[in-house]
């Protein structure tokens, strides 16, 4: 047993005894070092072990040292969490940005709803405080955190996903100063997160934000942990704008995707339709074209909005077939499992349908102010208004990045906002 927490660290030779022959249900975390999602999971796993260890055995296996075991189980990435009961693997495996709730969901199926409720009721709320609470760990939040931590302000950055925001799921970033060759988005995000952490900011990633109270400057995460601050920087960014057409919502994640990096690999050798005409649609089409045999790029106008340099690259890729002046009207799943995109010709009104294997939508972004911030002044699009010092209309609450009302949204402008917000907070604190 770990000396501070109620989990067991094992090697391959203890697998049978501790996992397959355990009387209790078992959860196993295969982890690695130099693995940010593993670091994000570790404190959640330790605290869950302390709360559930009477009913579930918590095991950790260092994957790099136990490769043969991992491979024999088909574990190919870290972290991978597996569940066992009665010597058999149960439930779905968890990977990537694993949330506390994902684990608890499986534990409930082991112990039943009544016992699960009893354990939940026994969890004692935790309160902590810091100088600066940053909501959102994208480029704006990470930059702000790096600056405030360097200024010796106790800084906590909270995010519902892993650090990096939209950059982490961008295939290549072509216009970040200092990287003259395109840099993979995940790598740039990783550099930024490491920099903020190295400066002393504490990252709380892949947590559920239960509530946020801007008056108290307090956030509740995972239902039981309150973090209260003197200053808050809202850096919650933006997310893909849905088209709002029939079939889109029900088929999301079942053939309709908003993330090429996440889902492109499922369309190797297949046909897809991409919707949109901006930088994202064209950049992500270049990436998707490396997998698919045919990509129809549907845009509602007769000219793309994307930068000319990106357009020049797209026209040179044979598998990409632009279809201009068509507006998507509905998505459907056909009986044979394929997808159908219904289109209307712009100007002609003529209906047309495309049958395809998958649909990717890149129709711009909508801002994500967190719940509880209705009293913040917003613009007509819902973005939060901040002044030159990134101050909002509420005292002690600052805003930075894509969630802020502004004209240009780039990684560089998010970094700029994060810098300004952090400097304003530092000035407010030290005078
Ligand atoms: P965007 O520039 O707003 O483009 C959205 C595209 O979706 C537009 O072509 C738009 O058509 C289309 N669209 C919107 N609503 C639609 C609807 N209901 N039906 C059909 N089509 C619809 O968004 P983005 O490409 O996601 O880019 C967002 C921001 O990030 C931009 O500032 C962009 O420059 C930046 N970005 C930069 C890079 C880069 O510099 N390499 C890469 C990615 C993103 P219309 O053209 O007719 O409006």
């Amino acid at each position: 047993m770990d000396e501070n927490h109620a989990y067991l660290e094992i090697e391959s030779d203890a697998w049978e005894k501790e996992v397959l022959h355990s009387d209790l249900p078992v959860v196993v975390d295969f982890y690695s070092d130099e693995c940010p999602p593993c670091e994000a999971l570790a404190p959640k796993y330790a605290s869950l072990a302390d709360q559930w260890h009477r009913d579930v055995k918590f095991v950790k296996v260092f994957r790099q040292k136990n490769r043969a075991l991992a491979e024999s189980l088909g574990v190919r990435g870290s972290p991978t969490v597996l569940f066992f009961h009665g010597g058999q693997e149960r439930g779905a495996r968890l990977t990537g940005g694993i949330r506390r709730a994902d684990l608890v969901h499986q534990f409930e199926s082991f112990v039943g709803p009544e016992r699960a409720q009893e354990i939940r009721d026994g969890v004692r709320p935790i309160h902590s405080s810091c100088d600066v609470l940053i909501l959102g760990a994208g480029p704006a939040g990470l930059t702000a955190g790096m600056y405030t931590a360097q200024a010796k302000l106790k800084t906590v950055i909270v995010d519902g996903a892993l650090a990096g925001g939209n950059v982490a799921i961008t295939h290549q970033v072509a216009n970040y100063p200092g990287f003259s060759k395109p840099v993979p988005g995940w790598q740039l995000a990783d550099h930024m997160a490491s920099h903020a952490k190295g400066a002393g900011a504490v990252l709380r990633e892949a947590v559920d934000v239960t509530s946020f109270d801007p008056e108290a400057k307090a956030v509740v995460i995972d239902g039981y942990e309150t973090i209260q601050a003197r200053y808050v920087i809202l850096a919650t960014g933006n997310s893909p704008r849905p088209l709002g057409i029939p079939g889109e919502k029900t088929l999301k994640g079942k053939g309709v995707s908003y993330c090429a990096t996440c889902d492109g690999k499922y369309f190797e050798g297949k046909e897809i339709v991409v919707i949109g005409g901006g930088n994202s649609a064209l950049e992500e089409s270049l990436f998707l074209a490396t997998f698919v045999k045919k990509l129809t790029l549907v845009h509602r106008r007769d000219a793309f909005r994307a930068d000319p340099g990106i357009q020049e690259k797209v026209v040179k890729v044979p598998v990409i077939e632009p279809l201009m002046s068509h507006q998507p009207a509905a998505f459907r799943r056909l009986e044979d499992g394929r997808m159908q995109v219904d289109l209307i010709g712009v100007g002609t009104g003529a209906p047309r349908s495309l049958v395809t294997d998958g649909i990717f939508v890149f129709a711009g972004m909508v801002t994500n102010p967190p719940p509880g911030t209705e009293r913040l002044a917003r613009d007509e699009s819902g973005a939060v208004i901040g002044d030159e010092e990134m101050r909002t209309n509420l005292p002690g609450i600052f805003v930075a990045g894509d969630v802020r009302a502004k004209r240009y949204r780039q990684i560089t402008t998010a970094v700029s906002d994060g810098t300004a917000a952090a400097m304003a907070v530092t000035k407010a604190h030290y005078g």
Side-chain angles (χ1 to χ4, degrees):
M1 199 65 67
D2 178 85
E3 57 188 52
N4 297 315
H5 294 288
Y7 62 76
L8 196 64
E9 175 95 36
I10 66 162
E11 308 293 340
S12 315
D13 56 1
W15 180 257
E16 287 219 357
K17 174 173 175 272
E18 299 295 349
V19 177
L20 300 183
H21 297 149
S22 166
D23 294 333
L24 287 178
V26 189
V27 54
V28 189
D29 170 18
F30 278 88
Y31 72 99
S32 303
D33 56 9
E34 293 180 24
C35 160
C38 302
E39 287 165 27
L41 175 62
K44 287 178 256 189
Y45 199 79
S47 79
L48 281 167
D50 295 344
Q51 290 154 10
W52 285 77
H53 67 99
R54 285 179 197 81
D55 298 73
V56 178
K57 184 193 277 187
F58 284 70
V59 170
K60 288 185 79 152
V61 180
F62 184 41
R63 193 174 136 233
Q64 282 126 311
K65 225 173 135 193
N66 297 279
R67 271 181 206 283
L69 173 65
E71 274 165 28
S72 72
L73 292 160
V75 171
R76 291 193 185 84
S78 301
T80 301
V81 170
L82 296 81
F83 303 91
F84 288 84
H85 198 189
Q88 299 290 320
E89 190 177 344
R90 312 275 168 164
R93 294 180 173 193
L94 304 175
T95 55
I98 300 169
R99 289 161 181 259
R100 200 174 184 279
D102 302 330
L103 290 153
V104 169
H105 179 72
Q106 182 61 41
F107 301 160
E108 278 179 7
S109 76
F110 286 144
V111 305
E114 279 176 26
R115 176 68 186 139
Q117 192 56 46
E118 227 173 82
I119 296 171
R120 258 197 238 107
D121 292 344
V123 174
R124 266 176 292 146
I126 300 176
H127 289 261
S128 63
S129 61
C130 59
D131 297 313
V132 189
L133 169 65
I134 299 173
L135 297 184
L142 292 171
T143 305
M146 178 195 76
Y147 269 92
T148 55
Q150 281 174 347
K152 304 274 179 251
L153 294 171
K154 189 177 169 195
T155 300
V156 179
I157 310 177
V158 168
D159 201 301
L162 292 172
N166 292 327
V167 177
I169 53 165
T170 299
H171 171 50
Q172 297 279 349
V173 175
N175 45 16
Y176 194 73
F179 293 86
S180 53
K181 293 209 175 72
V183 54
W186 68 265
Q187 205 173 76
L188 185 59
D190 191 46
H191 287 320
M192 288 185 182
S194 303
H195 203 158
K197 278 194 261 188
V202 173
L203 256 74
R204 303 297 305 274
E205 302 167 77
V207 296
D208 284 313
V209 176
T210 313
S211 63
F212 171 62
D213 179 347
E215 267 78 31
K217 300 189 193 67
V219 69
V220 179
I221 60 173
D222 290 334
Y224 77 108
E225 184 179 351
T226 304
I227 305 169
Q228 214 247 321
R230 297 163 79 108
Y231 310 96
V232 175
I233 300 174
L234 297 175
T236 42
N238 57 15
S239 49
R241 177 191 290 132
L243 296 166
I245 59 174
E248 184 183 20
K249 222 182 210 173
T250 47
L251 293 170
K252 183 179 172 183
K254 298 173 191 141
V256 176
S257 170
Y258 302 80
C259 175
T261 314
C262 319
D263 299 326
K265 54 188 175 286
Y266 303 119
F267 294 94
E268 184 91 53
K270 300 206 168 165
E271 296 180 4
I272 58 169
V273 168
V274 173
I275 314 261
N279 279 335
S280 297
L282 272 69
E283 288 253 15
E284 300 304 313
S285 289
L286 289 171
F287 170 62
L288 289 163
T290 62
F291 297 94
V292 299
K293 91 171 169 220
K294 179 177 169 192
L295 185 161
T296 310
L297 178 54
V298 176
H299 183 38
R300 64 182 175 184
R301 288 190 296 126
D302 60 2
F304 289 122
R305 172 193 291 276
D307 297 343
I310 303 174
Q311 293 194 40
E312 277 166 26
K313 286 188 194 160
V314 163
V315 293
K316 288 189 192 138
V317 180
V319 298
I320 302 179
E321 291 180 17
L323 175 60
M324 311 303 280
S325 305
H326 278 81
Q327 176 71 46
F331 298 149
R332 310 169 196 281
R333 181 173 284 289
L334 302 173
E335 275 183 10
D336 63 1
R338 296 193 84 202
M339 308 288 292
Q340 180 171 310
V341 183
D342 293 340
L343 302 166
I344 304 284
V346 176
T348 65
R352 177 170 178 175
S353 291
L354 299 173
V355 174
T356 187
D357 295 304
I359 302 162
F360 286 81
V361 178
F362 302 104
M365 310 295 280
V366 283
T367 54
N368 289 331
T373 53
E374 291 74 16
R375 287 192 48 229
L376 287 173
R378 317 264 181 105
D379 72 0
E380 64 290 344
S381 76
V384 176
I385 295 173
D387 65 11
E388 204 170 340
E389 303 254 319
M390 305 294 138
R391 284 180 299 225
T392 69
N393 60 316
L394 298 184
I397 310 278
F398 297 73
V399 63
D402 287 352
V403 72
R404 185 171 81 86
K406 59 180 177 178
R407 179 141 184 205
Y408 299 114
R409 291 188 169 86
Q410 295 282 308
I411 305 171
T412 44
T413 61
V415 163
S416 160
D417 282 5
T419 309
M423 295 184 94
V425 163
T426 307
K427 196 176 79 185
H429 187 76
Y430 291 114

